[in-house]
Amino acid sequence: MSTTITTDTLHKALKHFFGYDNFRLNQLPVIETILAGNDVMGIMPTGGGKSICYQLPAMLLPGITIVVSPLIALMKDQVDSLIANGIHAAFLNSSQLAETQRNVITQARNGQIKLLYIAPERIPSNSSSFIDFLRDLNPSLFAVDEAHCISSWGHDFRPEYLKLAILKQNFPNTPVIALTASADKLTQDDIVKKLDVPRAKVFISSFNRPNISYYIRPKQNAVGKIAEYILKHKDQCGIIYALSRASTEEIAGKLHALGIKAAYYHAGLDAAERSRVQEDFQKDTYQVIVATIAFGMGIDKSNVRYVIHHDVPKNIEGYYQETGRAGRDGLKSDAILYYSRGDIMKLKSFAVVEGNPAQTAISMNKLKQIEQFCESDTCRRQYLMQYFGEPFPAYCGSCDYCMSSLEERDATVDAQKLLSAIVRTGERYGTGYIIDILRGSASEKIQPAHKELKTYGIGRDVKRDEWELLVKQMLNNGCLERTEDQYSALQLNHKSHEILKGHSNFMLVMHKGVKEKIMAEEEELAYDEQLMKDLRGVRYELADREHVPAYNILPDNSLVEMATYLPQTFDELKQISGFGDYKVSKYGAFFIKILQQFAKDNNMVSKVHLKVPKARASKKPAEPKQASAGNTQLASLSLFRDGMTMQEIADYRRLSLATIENHLSFFVNEGTIEITQLVPQRRLDKIVEAIKQSGQMVALKPVKEILGDDYSYSEIRLAFEFYRKGGK
Ligand code: ADP
Ligand code: ZN
């Protein structure tokens, strides 16, 4: 089995069978490991490309590969897309007629199937008959998809998965590959144990999804803004998540009224209706689905261009999984979340589980983290990556925080007005009420006595948004407190009194209007819109004729590449991503015809020679785009150059130490300052030693545990980067 196959051969096979130019993430080492006959456990984020990890070996190994997968809807889709590549694949699940199932089994026995997908409920319950069944098929490889289902630690335990231990026990020489997107270490260990593959090589890919841009927006007229966004992105499709069934229907209704092809989806619909909506979305009949979280599990639509959260999600895991449904084809996509404190309060009230304080505490903690994510003034991606235990620099260049340039102004006077309004109303009211007083709201909610206060209306000149920002930043910087009860009353602390007395200033950092980056339009590639429409049309016709979703014929970026490079011959077409040999011969002629006509009409020639194979996010985990430094970072840098320590800068600027560390680490990444100027050599050595001792290069926490309280996360993060770039 272990005849060595060269990397070059594997690249050729990838192109030949699947039409892809490059491997993604850990696909290549995973595949090499399997082909050498070893077991593998692969951890990759949703959309990372887990399937190729077993599909390509399946094509290179003799005989059949058995794939166990729990998602029936996904199974059909996967098999369809294999068939679209001319690969013999089939599935067995309970949605089929008995006769169909018998046919599939016969074909498998006769060696007519390369990949057989089996749903766990189709595994014979008696283990000896299961083993006999498998012996008959004599498989070359077992793939266990969504492997976390075997673990009761995971979020989706399926008891039938426990039967899979017999695979390795009875077929010790057949490699097993377990795949999951679960980032949780406990679950990972459990999978290895329950599948009985102690020698499995573990591959963990970065959880970063560089092609997704993250935005968090205040929730004001959210539906209006969502509609505007959708109308601006006419040719693109997306998912909108809302928390309640009623609101999915309401939002879908409003969008529909604006002429947007939107449908809603939630667990209250019957099964037939649900699968109809899902299919119509796959086929692009609907542009937008407004759904509760029930939607998406079984969805493998690779060209979802945006995921919008109309309501705040309950935890970071869920949010990340849902946003991960965007951009599985690797093209730029947006994740937009509309945030309000009201949502958080509502979720907090739902999170209380009567008589179960432990469960309540877990849910509350998760809510706190999502609240922090929405309110913190840092790179969104950095926050997410650290949440999942991956070090990440302070700037990604493609989130709302990084894309807005920042400006700072002295807001001491406003801060004093705010603080005095809080004091004069007895430190008993939340942000909304206090701002109402400052802005002199005529609302009946305002107590008559409060309308007599000197502070009533003294802040009319400042916009409501800006007051909210001020409160948020004062809270973040410890210049203000908020009670933990349902009132979230604002209260003063020592630092607030300093500001009130004029002993210290407060600087407000403001975003100079976030530039809405518009995705597809921003791709550097330029192409003719009409040609693109025509190519899309051909794809639609082919899909319609074969009753498959359009992206099954070809993914969107194949169309973009064709429209850009105008291939004129079959050989040139082979250089377009997504065109394996099978698809070139099956569909090539339809596209070539249009491309030739276009070139002729416009007096143009093929530009395929300009195409440099795009090295995708394949090797390096997350090469952040060059971000430009905002004023606030530059201010920190200049103080640093004046000889201040980070702590001194933090005190001087009244920003947190972590913020200053973030600012300066930006300049380390950029090469403006040396790491040893921030972390003394001696400490750096200690941290690097601890990293080595921890035996991994992903998570900060184990390293911090070795080092103890004396070392900060930011220092460790800096050292990680230094070490990863080859520093000793
Ligand atoms: P996962 O199972 O990890 O969520 P999939 O295996 O469904 O992800 O892959 C996600 C998408 O990426 C699919 O549309 C797949 O065809 C595409 N894909 C996978 N590997 C590659 C690659 N090497 N190059 C380009 N596209 C790829
Ligand atoms: Zn960022």
Side-chain angles (χ1 to χ4, degrees), residues 14 20-24 27 44-52 78 145-146 300 302 328-330 557 577 616:
L14 180 71
Y20 300 138
D21 297 325
N22 290 297
F23 287 102
R24 277 187 184 170
Q27 282 175 342
M44 279 188 192
T46 308
K50 288 188 274 300
S51 322
I52 292 287
Q78 291 225 345
D145 206 0
E146 311 289 339
D300 177 30
S302 65
R328 297 176 75 157
D329 52 10
N557 64 329
S577 171
R616 271 239 162 95

